[in-house]
Amino acid sequence: MIRLFDRHRVRKYVELDGLWDFQPVENDDHDVSAFRYQLPVPSCWESHPDLTTYRGKGLYRKKINIAKQTNLQFECKGISHTAEVYFDGKKVKSHYNAYTPFSFIIPDVQAGEHEIRILVDNRFTSESALHIPNDYYTYGGIIRPIVMEYLPEVSIANMKCVPQYQEQNWHLHLEVDLQLLQPMTDMIYVSGKISEKTFSIVAKIPKTGDRLQLQHQIKNLEVESWSSDNPRLYEVELELYTEYSNQPVDDYIERIGFRTVSTDNGKIQINGDDIVLKGCNRHEDHPIVGASFPLQLMMQDLQLLKDMGANAVRTSHYPNDERFLDLCDELGFYVWEENHARGLSLERMQHPQFQNQCQQVNQEMVENHVNHPCIIMWGILNECASHTEEGRAMYREQLKQIRSMDNSRPLTFASHHREKELCFDLVDIVSFNLYPLWYTDEDPSELVDQARKWADELGGKGKPMIMSEFGADGFYGYRTISQVKGTEERQAQIIDENLKSYMETDYISGMFIWQFADCRVTEEEWFMKRAQTMNNKGIVDMYRRPKLAYDKVKNRWRRG
Ligand code: ADA
């Protein structure tokens, strides 16, 4: 499955799922002829018994048959973590980062058999500033779907949909990007439909250049707002005609929700109504599929979150699979989506590749996910060096970049620097990662008041405040009368006390438990810090079996 709705009804496309040939390789050996394995795509190579801890390079191969000459566009939704793509032996694309989509076009492909090879690397090399040994696992492989599309000479490359609420009415602003493979002198005609409204855009194609952006405003739409209680979605359908065709040569469908996000009076509003986010931090990690989730397991996680009374999820610490975001759109979950970074010191932030790798992720995250109504805020750089002037400069640059791409959502980042924080003035929402009763013996109620004071003194005065991480380890099945740290009893007690404090604090606009489910961590550097090489702070274990904390959360959120 590629998305939870049809992206095209005119453009032909096919998912390149199924079995691909696979061969671990030592270097940039992309033209090997012997392939020892066949691996399913999408999947993590760690799911194969020979490759459960393989950290290295692997070459994938797939043969495709093209019936008649065409242009091909490939969209890779997620390859972990570095990909070099070859088409009929010629290198056509490189990409770094497991968690954001990338695409490329192969123009003028002749009919017949062709071969795609993808060299994938999940090593922690000196080139990699973001994928490093960490308190989560960097898997290997083609972990999300690959789509192959048959592209006409002029096509719709992207559509950004910006719902606007003015004078008690919903309007919609569209930015439509066209891709031109051949210089054309024609007029183009875009016909569109949303809800009961139809519209058309006419434009002359310039003689040069390969992209053209069309802007269009649709006024006074008769639509219902999107919210957690009423996650009403609408498809925006575009069809593209040239002056020589009375049939559409291409089309593009997006699915959106009409809602506003604001941060007035120190609270967060959806469509003008104050909300309190009750959620969990969730890694894309599972003992059977690693980071390569099928829809069933994504849905199981959201059903459990809904069962415990959550209305939100934080995509800690990277952009998520767009099918998971589609589900959140449909089920009415609020999402804090964030770029890819966890706990990077100033030294690591000064890695020569750091800023441009982050800015690439920011660009791909916002460009591909901007139309999801479930995403109500963008986050960056979890627990990085926002307490230093050099770090602040990078936070500021990245926040500016994201705001320039989308100014419809508030921005935040999760800080653990307490009174040393230097960046609260740069964001709309202040967020704290604090672990009272686990890493420190502080009282949660006193600590949250202290954190509010830090925020007020450090540039966050009057801004909504979120407790973005709190929790404790609880080893599944470890129960003793002593209730020592690590037992399920102690974890349940710590989480319950934290939730009690934050639910009783009227200036708290959100709370995210660390974490939803136990997750695998890297053996490198984290083996000695994490029992079983796992982060065991889940309120369900890795197999999604509830721990004692689960019912405490449910009592607080469903019955609180
Ligand atoms: C940090 C970090 C999380 C996780 C957590 C923990 O707050 O943001 O990714 O590592 O600590 O389990 O200690």
Side-chain angles (χ1 to χ4, degrees):
M1 171 179 274
I2 299 163
R3 295 295 295 275
L4 270 68
F5 62 97
D6 279 344
R7 295 302 307 276
H8 302 283
R9 296 191 184 105
V10 171
R11 186 187 305 179
K12 256 183 71 187
Y13 64 93
V14 62
E15 183 179 355
L16 298 183
D17 56 357
L19 293 181
W20 287 47
D21 298 322
F22 179 79
Q23 177 60 35
V25 293
E26 285 302 315
N27 44 38
D28 292 347
D29 200 356
H30 63 85
D31 49 14
V32 300
S33 52
F35 288 82
R36 188 167 157 210
Y37 299 94
Q38 284 195 302
L39 295 184
V41 166
S43 77
C44 301
W45 62 49
E46 289 84 356
S47 296
H48 189 289
D50 294 358
L51 305 166
T52 55
T53 59
Y54 181 59
R55 191 162 297 288
K57 286 194 167 193
L59 183 66
Y60 287 84
R61 177 183 67 179
K62 180 140 187 104
K63 296 185 192 308
I64 57 169
N65 264 299
I66 302 299
K68 66 184 176 58
Q69 183 181 355
T70 183
N71 309 302
L72 293 178
Q73 174 166 270
F74 294 88
E75 186 166 3
C76 304
K77 302 293 188 179
I79 298 184
S80 187
H81 64 63
T82 295
E84 288 180 6
V85 185
Y86 297 83
F87 189 80
D88 291 343
K90 179 169 167 279
K91 188 166 175 185
V92 291
K93 184 74 178 179
S94 296
H95 184 266
Y96 172 80
N97 209 289
Y99 306 116
T100 45
F102 64 97
S103 61
F104 53 93
I105 295 172
I106 314 278
D108 197 17
V109 176
Q110 301 308 308
E113 183 175 273
H114 299 271
E115 195 176 84
I116 303 167
R117 290 181 174 223
I118 304 179
L119 189 58
V120 180
D121 186 356
N122 76 338
R123 293 172 304 153
F124 298 132
T125 65
S126 59
E127 292 305 299
S128 177
L130 306 178
H131 286 284
I132 62 170
N134 219 322
D135 201 15
Y136 62 95
Y137 198 81
T138 287
Y139 288 92
I142 302 175
I143 63 171
R144 297 178 186 167
I146 292 186
V147 192
M148 180 175 78
E149 301 177 335
Y150 296 79
L151 217 54
E153 299 303 335
V154 58
S155 62
I156 301 169
N158 195 28
M159 169 166 53
K160 179 181 174 186
C161 308
V162 185
Q164 297 158 333
Y165 193 68
Q166 287 147 1
E167 290 111 46
Q168 316 293 316
N169 267 316
W170 280 110
H171 317 292
L172 182 63
H173 181 76
L174 298 181
E175 290 175 11
V176 181
D177 294 321
L178 302 185
Q179 171 72 48
L180 313 170
L181 292 179
Q182 294 294 344
M184 301 176 74
T185 56
D186 303 323
M187 302 294 287
I188 59 105
Y189 306 86
V190 174
S191 74
K193 190 166 71 126
I194 168 160
S195 182
E196 301 313 312
K197 279 238 178 181
T198 57
F199 56 91
S200 61
I201 314 170
V202 183
K204 182 158 179 47
I205 294 217
K207 290 186 172 45
T208 57
D210 63 358
R211 298 284 279 215
L212 169 65
Q213 185 174 87
L214 311 177
Q215 305 230 359
H216 191 72
Q217 186 84 3
I218 307 151
K219 308 286 278 179
N220 304 321
L221 283 155
E222 300 287 325
V223 291
E224 291 174 41
S225 303
W226 182 93
S227 70
S228 188
D229 300 329
N230 181 37
R232 183 76 169 79
L233 297 169
Y234 293 88
E235 289 191 356
V236 188
E237 301 174 59
L238 302 183
E239 288 188 339
L240 177 65
Y241 298 77
T242 67
E243 60 191 274
Y244 308 117
S245 65
N246 55 14
Q247 290 300 318
V249 295
D250 194 30
D251 72 334
Y252 196 94
I253 301 167
E254 258 300 357
R255 195 174 67 170
I256 65 172
F258 289 83
R259 59 110 188 86
T260 59
V261 193
S262 52
T263 55
D264 301 330
N265 313 313
K267 301 294 278 181
I268 300 171
Q269 295 84 31
I270 298 294
N271 302 324
D273 299 328
D274 287 353
I275 60 163
V276 175
L277 301 170
K278 299 181 290 185
C280 288
N281 288 278
R282 174 181 176 270
H283 268 299
E284 290 180 331
D285 190 281
H286 195 283
I288 297 170
V289 294
S292 184
F293 273 67
L295 190 74
Q296 301 88 316
L297 293 179
M298 293 178 190
M299 188 61 181
Q300 182 187 39
D301 284 0
L302 288 168
Q303 285 164 334
L304 287 167
L305 282 161
K306 206 113 186 142
D307 179 56
M308 67 178 84
N311 63 5
V313 62
R314 178 182 175 215
T315 69
S316 54
H317 297 291
Y318 36 77
N320 270 201
D321 189 311
E322 51 197 14
R323 295 166 297 170
F324 182 76
L325 299 173
D326 283 344
L327 283 174
C328 291
D329 288 338
E330 291 191 18
L331 298 172
F333 271 90
Y334 298 124
V335 174
W336 160 339
E337 182 160 70
E338 64 184 22
N339 72 358
H340 177 207
R342 183 212 162 275
L344 301 177
S345 64
L346 177 58
E347 184 191 4
R348 284 200 177 277
M349 289 181 75
Q350 290 170 330
H351 182 291
Q353 299 298 328
F354 173 81
Q355 197 66 346
N356 62 41
Q357 287 180 355
C358 286
Q359 288 172 330
Q360 175 209 312
V361 169
N362 296 340
Q363 166 87 20
E364 292 168 341
M365 173 177 76
V366 176
E367 195 168 270
N368 286 282
H369 296 171
V370 69
N371 294 328
H372 285 280
C374 65
I375 299 175
I376 61 166
M377 65 179 87
W378 300 112
I380 65 167
L381 304 180
N382 175 76
E383 293 195 0
C384 295
S386 54
H387 62 311
T388 67
E389 284 304 334
E390 303 90 330
R392 175 184 162 85
M394 290 187 255
Y395 271 74
R396 183 175 46 215
E397 194 179 4
Q398 290 193 33
L399 291 163
K400 186 166 165 248
Q401 175 203 8
I402 291 177
R403 219 172 237 123
S404 71
M405 294 181 71
D406 173 29
N407 63 5
S408 73
R409 293 173 172 89
L411 304 181
T412 191
F413 66 90
S415 166
H416 67 318
H417 294 300
R418 295 176 172 232
E419 75 283 354
K420 296 188 174 64
E421 182 51 61
L422 292 182
C423 293
F424 282 146
D425 63 314
L426 301 175
V427 289
D428 307 295
I429 297 170
V430 295
S431 299
F432 288 90
N433 291 355
L434 297 167
Y435 286 81
L437 304 179
W438 179 253
Y439 288 127
T440 67
D441 287 338
E442 296 156 299
D443 171 79
S445 297
E446 291 169 12
L447 185 57
V448 69
D449 285 342
Q450 176 57 67
R452 180 76 258 180
K453 289 194 186 87
W454 290 327
D456 292 349
E457 289 153 13
L458 298 169
K461 190 162 185 56
K463 295 179 181 177
M465 177 169 153
I466 288 178
M467 299 307 284
S468 38
E469 288 184 32
F470 54 92
D473 278 285
F475 302 108
Y476 183 79
Y478 179 31
R479 300 185 186 180
T480 72
I481 195 166
S482 69
Q483 304 206 3
V484 292
K485 283 187 174 180
T487 57
E488 286 193 40
E489 293 92 340
R490 187 68 167 276
Q491 182 197 34
Q493 178 251 325
I494 289 170
I495 286 179
D496 190 46
E497 280 200 44
N498 273 267
L499 289 179
K500 179 175 182 299
S501 300
Y502 309 146
M503 300 275 288
E504 288 170 353
T505 305
D506 61 5
Y507 59 73
I508 286 292
S509 290
M511 58 202 85
F512 290 88
I513 298 169
W514 186 274
Q515 64 172 328
F516 168 67
D518 295 348
C519 75
R520 183 175 178 180
V521 306
T522 59
E523 205 170 297
E524 300 90 332
E525 297 181 25
W526 284 82
F527 164 62
M528 291 304 285
K529 302 174 199 170
R530 294 282 183 252
Q532 308 164 315
T533 4
M534 295 283 295
N535 182 305
N536 292 286
K537 296 188 181 72
I539 46 181
V540 298
D541 81 340
M542 60 176 137
Y543 290 100
R544 275 62 184 168
R545 297 175 298 189
K547 301 177 189 175
L548 291 177
Y550 186 96
D551 277 342
K552 293 287 188 186
V553 176
K554 196 165 175 176
N555 288 334
R556 290 285 171 195
W557 282 353
R558 294 267 310 255
R559 300 165 194 133

